[in-house]
Amino acid sequence: MRMKLVLIVGAAAMLATTPLAAQSPHGDEPVAVPRAIKQGIDFVYVDPQMSSVARRKQRPQNWLSRLFNPGASRSGAPNPMFDQLARGLQQYQASWGRLPQTRIPAGAALKRGSTGKRVQLLRTRLGLYPDGGYDEQLAQAVSSYQSVHGLGTPDGIAGKATIASLNRGSTYYARRIAINMERAYRLPAQRAFDRYVVVDSGAAEVYFFNRDRMADKMRVVVGAPQTKTPMMAVLMRNARVDPYWNVPPELVKSLTARKVGEMGLSYFKDFHYEVLSDWGPNARIIDPKTVNWKGIASGKVKPTIHVRQLPGPWNSMRNMKFEMPNDFGIYLHDTPHDELFVQDGRHLSNGCVRLEDYKRFAGWVFGYVPQSQTGLEAKVDLPRPVPVYMTYLTVAASPNGVTFRPDPYGFDALAMPQMFGGTAVG
């Protein structure tokens, strides 16, 4: 049964000022995914209200043998991103996959002017006649291979990384496409929702889908390899305008108390923090000098206080936080560090997703950009919950096939045995 969530856009929404301390003692930092949960393909969390269109632990499909009938096992056409990757797999097999899988011995980098047996093997591997040396034709073939297979800036030089990639063979890369197809297969089937959001932590981008068409996209900053953004399916229900940043108790010890020891109590005024008596709904703002900071820093005193950073341009969530209740404390938010979005490598956060343009994102999910009337944190409910699918794609469909990206989280390596067992090529 298909589920449809229609986003009703209103001219205004009720802004409700947040109670003084309505946050949980967890604070505003993500929780690491337990080691017992195997990531790679499946969502680690699915909102119960999305169980009819998103599931954990689905059985992987053998897409390598189902190229010409990709939607046969599912009611409803698969997500458009799945279809694009399915076509890309066929194009990859028809181009790079048909070439001789000749192995090239390790050795010095091969470049224009190089000769010898390894150059002949390289020419054979890339579908050229063995004779001819490292000429311009071979350099162009190497450059094309590098461009498709994500080997940095294409330079036409067959160095260590390029030779290693060639020796992995086309089956390895076809399987990587199939792994990404499996992830895309878990995205909403066509006509499941009118509108939804896809966060791709592989590309560090977010996509807005309107009636199964990508209406917009923007860059994001996602979790670093040590603090990965998990794959999950959630419902975005509200946002907070001018949010506080609630310091987790463990950071009160390792960060706040340490800073007080280094800078004194002026730290709170200089960096716009305030201290509350506890995490309860009736918490009081208290004077920081009444707190035993030395005891907290040493671990002799367990912090029960609530430290939070005031709303403003200095706040790590700056103007808006988009909440999605889930097991891992993951959410989307604005950021004061706009300079990070010009970088190609944007795997830098503690797991949450920083938005390049929060106003454009808010305008899409709300139909307008909510504002606080008081300058204090205010909760704004969405007219209807917006589905958010957080996935991880390391292969992008292109007009001529696919382009491979790095695997910063190592999820492709984890997925290989999940999908292909002991026969995985790596």
Side-chain angles (χ1 to χ4, degrees):
M1 178 178 179
R2 292 176 180 162
M3 178 170 64
K4 187 167 291 192
L5 293 179
V6 182
L7 182 64
I8 300 177
V9 177
M14 295 297 293
L15 289 171
T17 302
T18 304
L20 191 58
Q23 301 292 327
S24 75
H26 169 254
D28 287 322
E29 285 294 296
V31 175
V33 175
R35 292 177 179 269
I37 296 179
K38 184 181 292 186
Q39 298 189 76
I41 298 174
D42 287 311
F43 295 124
V44 301
Y45 177 85
V46 177
D47 188 292
Q49 292 191 26
M50 300 174 71
S51 60
S52 64
V53 290
R55 298 187 306 278
R56 280 181 282 185
K57 298 183 179 179
Q58 299 180 54
R59 178 173 294 182
Q61 305 292 323
N62 183 2
W63 301 117
L64 299 180
S65 65
R66 301 173 67 111
L67 286 175
F68 300 101
N69 194 17
S73 65
R74 183 174 183 175
S75 60
N79 187 272
M81 297 181 76
F82 172 90
D83 289 337
Q84 293 164 8
L85 286 170
R87 289 192 295 270
L89 177 56
Q90 294 182 62
Q91 290 171 299
Y92 186 85
Q93 295 287 63
S95 54
W96 301 102
R98 67 174 177 77
L99 297 177
Q101 303 300 297
T102 306
R103 291 191 63 83
I104 304 160
L110 301 174
K111 54 188 176 180
R112 292 171 179 84
S114 296
T115 57
K117 180 64 174 177
R118 291 176 66 237
V119 172
Q120 292 178 342
L121 292 173
L122 178 60
R123 291 182 64 88
T124 300
R125 174 67 179 83
L126 292 174
L128 304 176
Y129 289 112
D131 298 330
Y134 209 113
D135 55 14
E136 188 60 30
Q137 185 184 26
L138 179 56
Q140 289 297 323
V142 170
S143 182
S144 296
Y145 182 90
Q146 292 170 329
S147 179
V148 168
H149 292 83
L151 298 172
T153 303
D155 57 11
I157 299 173
K160 182 178 179 180
T162 299
I163 296 298
S165 173
L166 287 161
N167 284 342
R168 276 180 155 170
S170 63
T171 298
Y172 166 81
Y173 286 102
R175 286 176 171 177
R176 278 193 63 189
I177 300 171
I179 287 168
N180 279 264
M181 288 172 62
E182 187 67 25
R183 292 176 186 140
Y185 190 65
R186 284 151 167 74
L187 297 177
Q190 293 182 39
R191 297 185 298 279
F193 300 116
D194 282 353
R195 308 185 92 191
Y196 57 92
V197 172
V198 173
V199 177
D200 178 2
S201 57
E205 293 183 336
V206 60
Y207 312 123
F208 310 153
F209 281 85
N210 186 8
R211 298 188 183 277
D212 300 313
R213 293 180 178 272
M214 190 184 296
D216 198 1
K217 68 177 182 177
M218 71 173 67
R219 291 185 166 201
V220 295
V221 170
V222 294
Q226 299 78 18
T227 51
K228 304 172 180 65
T229 298
M231 293 187 292
M232 57 187 195
V234 294
L235 284 173
M236 181 184 297
R237 303 173 187 276
N238 60 71
R240 292 183 185 269
V241 182
D242 293 332
Y244 292 102
W245 179 59
N246 298 279
V247 182
E250 60 271 19
L251 288 184
V252 171
K253 174 180 180 294
S254 63
L255 174 66
T256 310
R258 178 174 59 83
K259 288 293 186 181
V260 171
E262 295 171 357
M263 302 174 60
L265 295 175
S266 63
Y267 169 73
F268 294 96
K269 181 178 180 181
D270 292 346
F271 290 89
H272 312 281
Y273 285 94
E274 64 183 9
V275 183
L276 285 74
S277 57
D278 54 64
W279 288 81
N282 300 314
R284 301 171 288 105
I285 297 176
I286 62 174
D287 191 330
K289 70 182 180 183
T290 64
V291 178
N292 183 357
W293 297 107
K294 288 184 179 179
I296 292 174
S298 68
K300 295 179 180 179
V301 175
K302 183 178 180 180
T304 57
I305 55 172
H306 177 183
V307 179
R308 65 185 183 185
Q309 191 175 39
L310 297 171
W314 49 77
N315 190 291
S316 61
M317 293 182 287
R318 199 160 62 175
N319 294 300
M320 191 170 290
K321 171 188 178 183
F322 299 87
E323 295 189 311
M324 308 176 301
N326 61 83
D327 290 347
F328 305 103
I330 300 295
Y331 51 89
L332 282 65
H333 64 93
D334 186 21
T335 175
H337 299 292
D338 295 331
E339 71 279 3
L340 298 179
F341 296 105
V342 301
Q343 300 183 19
D344 290 330
R346 299 187 298 283
H347 296 83
L348 303 167
S349 80
N350 288 335
C352 287
V353 179
R354 306 176 192 174
L355 296 163
E356 180 181 27
D357 186 344
Y358 89 94
K359 287 185 178 180
R360 185 150 52 96
F361 187 88
W364 195 80
V365 296
F366 279 100
Y368 68 103
V369 180
Q371 303 290 328
S372 170
Q373 305 302 314
T374 63
L376 300 176
E377 180 181 272
K379 179 182 176 182
V380 190
D381 290 329
L382 287 165
R384 293 287 179 90
V386 176
V388 178
Y389 284 77
M390 308 186 79
T391 188
Y392 177 80
L393 300 178
T394 59
V395 181
S398 67
N400 298 317
V402 295
T403 302
F404 292 87
R405 304 186 185 115
D407 180 19
Y409 292 173
F411 283 176
D412 285 1
L414 289 173
M416 280 285 182
Q418 292 179 44
M419 285 192 61
F420 303 105
T423 63
V425 176

